[in-house]
Amino acid sequence: MGLLAGKKTLVTGASKGIGRSIALKFAKEGADVAFTYLSSVEQAQALEEELAAFGGQVLAVRSDASDFEAAQGLIAESLKAFGTLDVLVNNAGITKDNLLMRMSEEDFDRVLKVNLNSIFNTTKAVIRPMMKQKAGSIINISSVVGVKGNAGQANYAASKAGIIGFTKSTALELGSRNIRCNALAPGFIETEMTDRLDEATVQGWRDGIPMKRGGSPDEVADACVFLASDMSTYISGQVLNVCGAMLT
Ligand code: NAD
């Protein structure tokens, strides 16, 4: 039996990258999986088929994570399909990098809205049903940049640091209801996006990591399976770095 057998799960922003790996690992471990996507309709359809092949229930919802009302609708739709929700993974995220000198107010606000407000939006909607069932695991995808900061990413780092404060506060507020809330802080994870970058630049990043390589989306997804599963029932309010010792 899989580590997540019978669990009802929701992953935001799963059409590609880390979210896609999380959705696939969840389904492989026996979970029913709802996932969201925004613009990648074909990729979402392909993922839906791949997930269904594992035999569990699958729900694909086109939903903008930064939209509060849409998030309330998303949780309601997932609950209607699955009956309950045991696990919520807030993965959807964007970057709009620039030096502060050149960063527009619009780019600052947009990154905060998609990366941080989105977590408030879904968490707010999911805690009531989780409180009722006296169980739940919420996993928020932060970043090592949220702990450490990064030149050229003030908006992104602020959003990812905000996620950590939100995660710890949620864990403190809802611990007595047996709702756990943790953050994952990936380091440099190689996705389709990094495949498109100049090889010499990427190699330079790899060389700066103690383990001398970038991580894979599957390695983040494995940590996510752990936090979603009953292997971590006494772990809450924590930030788990998945970064090859980039940040110790
Ligand atoms: P990605 O761009 O491949 O995937 C991001 C996903 O979020 C996509 O599926 C996209 O459609 C979705 N998304 C974006 N805006 C959305 C919105 N408004 N509503 C709904 N969905 C939306 O990126 P990734 O590398 O897989 O990143 C996934 C998460 O991991 C992000 O939160 C990112 O900040 C975080 N992260 C990534 C790295 C890395 O090195 N790749 C490192 C640390 C943290």
Side-chain angles (χ1 to χ4, degrees):
M1 211 165 62
L3 280 170
L4 303 179
K7 299 244 189 236
K8 317 289 184 193
T9 67
L10 168 63
V11 185
T12 67
S15 56
K16 57 188 163 134
I18 293 169
R20 181 182 149 80
S21 284
I22 294 170
L24 284 165
K25 289 249 177 197
F26 275 16
K28 193 175 170 200
E29 291 295 338
D32 293 331
V33 181
F35 73 91
T36 70
Y37 62 98
L38 192 57
S39 48
S40 318
V41 180
E42 277 170 27
Q43 282 166 301
Q45 276 167 354
L47 178 63
E48 201 176 350
E49 282 169 28
E50 274 186 72
L51 292 172
F54 290 101
Q57 226 181 314
V58 180
L59 177 71
V61 183
R62 190 172 192 170
S63 183
D64 181 349
S66 68
D67 180 329
F68 182 81
E69 288 308 326
Q72 312 313 297
L74 164 69
I75 301 297
E77 202 176 333
S78 307
L79 287 169
K80 196 170 165 215
F82 293 170
T84 57
L85 268 179
D86 302 299
V87 178
L88 165 66
V89 183
N90 287 307
N91 166 78
I94 57 166
T95 52
K96 285 193 183 290
D97 300 349
N98 220 331
L99 295 173
L100 261 179
M101 287 286 283
R102 296 197 199 113
M103 188 176 288
S104 66
E105 185 187 7
E106 193 190 354
D107 282 357
F108 185 85
D109 288 349
R110 186 67 196 151
V111 168
L112 265 290
K113 218 163 179 239
V114 174
N115 295 3
L116 183 58
N117 289 40
S118 60
I119 290 183
F120 169 75
N121 298 345
T122 46
T123 304
K124 178 104 175 124
V126 89
I127 54 175
R128 209 179 285 274
M130 282 185 173
M131 280 162 84
K132 235 193 221 166
Q133 71 194 24
K134 292 199 171 57
S137 174
I138 301 169
I139 302 158
N140 297 324
I141 309 298
S142 177
S143 165
V144 291
V145 161
V147 182
K148 193 177 169 287
N150 199 21
Q153 288 197 307
N155 50 1
Y156 182 76
S159 73
K160 295 298 182 181
I163 288 174
I164 292 172
F166 186 89
T167 298
K168 292 184 177 184
S169 304
T170 305
L172 291 172
E173 261 187 57
L174 299 172
S176 64
R177 309 300 182 104
N178 195 34
I179 298 171
R180 300 184 294 114
C181 186
N182 292 288
L184 282 178
F188 171 49
I189 306 302
E190 300 198 28
T191 61
E192 302 101 88
M193 199 174 71
T194 49
D195 285 350
R196 288 197 293 271
L197 298 173
D198 165 57
E199 177 61 21
T201 308
V202 173
Q203 192 54 47
W205 291 344
R206 290 186 193 118
D207 292 343
I209 298 167
M211 287 186 75
K212 298 298 168 204
R213 64 176 180 87
S216 70
D218 276 353
E219 288 175 311
V220 179
D222 282 335
C224 209
V225 167
F226 170 67
L227 290 176
S229 78
D230 293 341
M231 300 287 285
S232 59
T233 45
Y234 201 48
I235 299 177
S236 190
Q238 304 304 308
V239 182
L240 177 58
N241 299 343
V242 184
C243 66
M246 185 195 265
L247 187 72
T248 58

